[in-house]
């Protein structure tokens, strides 16, 4: 990316029958957003035109064949398909899932080829995206395979960051999935992201217990005593500021989360219920640990309001701002750490 060029922000549109296109278009209906980045939406001119007409959104766009042709100061649409998909707002159709994945694949390819700098993904339906060619439970797992690094599902706001040890697995499988190796990996990924992506020099991390009351000294399960506690001690002794396990039921209610830079929850709902309760629609889903930056809003397809023009774009807009901020933080961090001797010479005027 050229030094003075605005960040190229790719957008996969998600389910065409949901609110993905709506929140993306509403975000950039405000022309001031074009001062922060150059949006590149992966869909087609006709699909976006229909959404604009149906939703009464006042926005103009520039159609391009390739993300590399995107123009600054414009909302750019990469024409990924020529056919005109049937849009059935509020319905979970196979066609809706198919076009969601086609948009995602095209966006990820552009991301890997550096034709876009960051990616914001609009919501998909985890059921209708499934096919012989796509068997991932969601965005995170797909991106983890296509991009380099160790992924971490990281829900973030300005004041709260919650990561997950396990994400899209059944509750009955959680305890056996959590191993010392997994804990070490997720804590390392979280710590690195806090330093590199959020500019926190010595991050403090809290781990939530697996069982109620973190097992109550083994009376409600032994996983916390046998797996979490020894691994936390091992990591702490090696210099990582990681603490716990904390009883999840009182951790957020007692405001203990304010004492840490991030919290690592044992499983999906343990982390996301308090996060979404406290974030009030301002939350962002960030896939930390990968070599590329990807964010998404913290909501789903919202079929019940799709096509009615009622969707709130706040979380999508926050996802855009977070992607831009993380990209800038990461770029600065890498510049400062990759060649420290060179930086010292520059500072000294040598």
């Amino acid at each position: 990316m050229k030094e003075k060029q605005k960040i190229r922000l790719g957008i996969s549109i998600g389910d065409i029958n949901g609110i993905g296109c709506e929140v993306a278009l509403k975000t950039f209906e405000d022309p001031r957003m074009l001062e922060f980045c150059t949006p590149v939406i992966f869909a087609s001119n006709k699909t976006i035109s229909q959404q604009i007409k149906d939703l009464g959104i006042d926005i103009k766009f520039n159609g391009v064949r390739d993300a590399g042709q995107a123009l600054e100061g414009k909302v750019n649409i990469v024409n990924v398909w020529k056919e005109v998909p049937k849009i059935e707002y509020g319905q979970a159709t196979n066609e809706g899932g198919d076009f969601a994945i086609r948009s995602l694949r095209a966006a990820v390819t552009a991301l890997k080829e550096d034709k876009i700098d960051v990616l914001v993904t609009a919501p998909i339906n985890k059921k209708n995206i499934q096919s012989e060619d796509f068997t991932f439970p969601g965005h995170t797992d797909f991106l983890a395979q296509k991009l380099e690094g160790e992924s971490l599902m990281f829900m973030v706001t300005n004041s709260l960051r919650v990561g997950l040890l396990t994400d899209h697995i059944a509750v009955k499988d959680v305890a056996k999935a959590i191993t010392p190796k997994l804990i070490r990996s997720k804590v390392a990924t979280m710590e690195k992201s806090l330093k590199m992506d959020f500019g926190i020099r010595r991050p403090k991390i809290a781990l939530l217990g697996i069982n109620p009351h973190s097992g109550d000294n083994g009376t409600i399960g032994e996983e916390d005593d046998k797996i979490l506690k020894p691994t936390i001690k091992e990591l702490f002794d090696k210099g990582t500021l990681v603490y716990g396990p904390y009883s999840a039921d009182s951790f957020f209610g007692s405001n203990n989360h304010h004492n840490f830079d991030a919290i690592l929850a044992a499983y999906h709902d343990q982390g996301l219920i308090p996060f979404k309760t406290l974030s009030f629609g301002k939350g962002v889903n960030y896939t930390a640990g990968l070599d590329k930056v990807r964010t998404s809003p913290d909501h789903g397809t919202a079929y019940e309001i799709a096509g009615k023009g009622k969707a709130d774009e706040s979380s999508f807009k926050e996802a855009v701002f977070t992607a831009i901020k993380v990209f800038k933080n990461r770029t600065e961090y890498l510049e400062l750490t990759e060649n420290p001797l060179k930086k010292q010479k520059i500072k000294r005027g040598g």
Side-chain angles (χ1 to χ4, degrees):
M1 188 182 74
K2 295 179 182 179
E3 190 175 345
K4 293 185 179 180
Q5 187 182 55
K6 285 188 174 70
I7 290 172
R8 284 188 174 179
L9 184 133
I11 298 170
S12 61
I13 62 169
D15 194 317
I16 57 174
N17 298 320
I19 64 169
C21 283
E22 181 178 350
V23 293
L25 293 170
K26 280 183 174 178
T27 294
F28 290 99
E29 188 176 19
D30 181 351
R32 293 173 300 179
M33 291 297 294
L34 297 176
E35 298 173 11
F36 300 102
C37 65
T38 301
V40 184
I41 301 174
F42 292 82
S44 75
N45 291 348
K46 291 181 179 179
T47 300
I48 297 302
S49 293
Q50 183 175 346
Q51 294 267 348
I52 289 171
K53 180 181 177 182
D54 293 345
L55 298 165
I57 296 173
D58 183 17
I59 192 172
K60 295 180 180 179
F61 61 82
N62 174 52
V64 295
R65 291 184 179 181
D66 185 89
Q69 300 171 335
L71 298 178
E72 286 190 9
K74 303 284 186 180
V75 175
N76 298 273
I77 310 298
V78 175
N79 281 284
V80 180
W81 52 80
K82 294 181 179 180
E83 58 268 59
V84 181
K86 183 180 181 181
I87 297 178
E88 301 178 69
Y89 295 112
Q91 303 299 314
T93 66
N94 291 333
E95 191 173 26
D98 177 56
F99 282 97
I101 297 308
R102 288 170 68 175
S103 173
L104 177 63
R105 287 189 185 278
V108 171
T109 297
L111 187 64
K112 291 174 68 175
E113 294 175 351
D114 293 324
K115 292 179 179 178
I116 55 175
D117 300 303
V118 298
L119 172 62
V120 180
T121 59
I124 54 176
N125 179 316
K126 290 180 175 59
K127 187 174 181 180
N128 71 2
I129 59 170
Q130 301 301 319
S131 68
E132 290 183 3
D133 297 327
F134 195 96
T135 57
F136 303 91
H139 285 118
T140 304
D141 305 87
F142 175 71
L143 292 165
Q145 185 186 93
K146 295 297 180 182
L147 303 174
E148 295 181 6
E150 297 290 334
S151 68
L152 169 73
M153 188 173 176
F154 208 4
M155 307 298 293
V156 300
T157 63
N158 288 332
S159 59
L160 179 63
R161 304 177 190 91
V162 179
L164 302 180
L165 271 176
T166 62
D167 40 63
H168 295 125
I169 67 171
V171 173
K172 66 181 177 63
D173 298 325
V174 167
K176 61 184 178 183
I178 296 176
T179 63
K181 181 180 178 181
L182 178 69
I183 297 168
R184 292 187 203 104
S185 174
K186 295 296 184 181
V187 169
T189 299
M190 176 176 277
E191 183 184 35
K192 183 178 180 181
S193 178
L194 290 168
K195 290 178 179 179
M196 183 169 67
D197 302 332
F198 297 95
I200 301 169
R201 293 184 64 185
R202 285 285 281 158
K204 290 177 63 179
I205 298 171
L207 257 69
L208 302 183
I210 300 171
N211 297 298
H213 308 295
S214 296
D216 250 348
N217 295 315
T219 58
I220 317 177
E222 299 180 335
E223 291 86 0
D224 295 277
D225 285 343
K226 291 187 174 181
I227 300 173
L228 262 65
K229 287 181 181 179
T231 310
I232 290 170
K233 183 180 185 304
E234 172 197 325
L235 291 169
F236 188 86
D237 289 345
K238 291 181 178 179
T240 301
L241 299 182
V242 56
Y243 304 84
Y246 293 98
S247 181
D249 64 342
S250 59
F251 185 82
F252 293 93
S254 64
N255 289 324
N256 200 9
H257 58 284
H258 292 305
N259 297 319
F260 299 92
D261 297 300
I263 298 96
L264 193 55
Y267 55 93
H268 187 278
D269 283 13
Q270 185 192 65
L272 266 65
I273 288 174
F275 178 85
K276 291 188 177 184
T277 301
L278 294 170
S279 66
F280 296 103
K282 296 289 186 179
V284 174
N285 181 357
Y286 169 50
T287 306
L290 300 178
D291 63 335
K292 300 291 185 180
V293 177
R294 172 260 177 173
T295 64
S296 72
D298 67 354
H299 57 72
T301 55
Y303 286 139
E304 66 277 6
I305 60 170
K308 299 178 182 178
K310 296 180 179 180
D312 184 349
E313 71 274 20
S314 298
S315 183
F316 192 92
K317 187 175 287 187
E318 288 298 324
V320 168
F321 284 132
T322 298
I324 294 169
K325 184 177 180 180
V326 168
F327 182 81
K328 289 181 176 179
N329 285 345
R330 182 179 289 194
T331 301
E332 182 179 353
Y333 178 89
L334 293 174
E335 286 177 352
L336 290 172
T337 57
E338 281 184 352
N339 196 341
L341 291 176
K342 183 178 179 181
K343 293 298 173 184
Q344 285 178 7
K345 289 181 181 179
I346 291 173
K347 287 181 180 178
R348 291 171 183 167

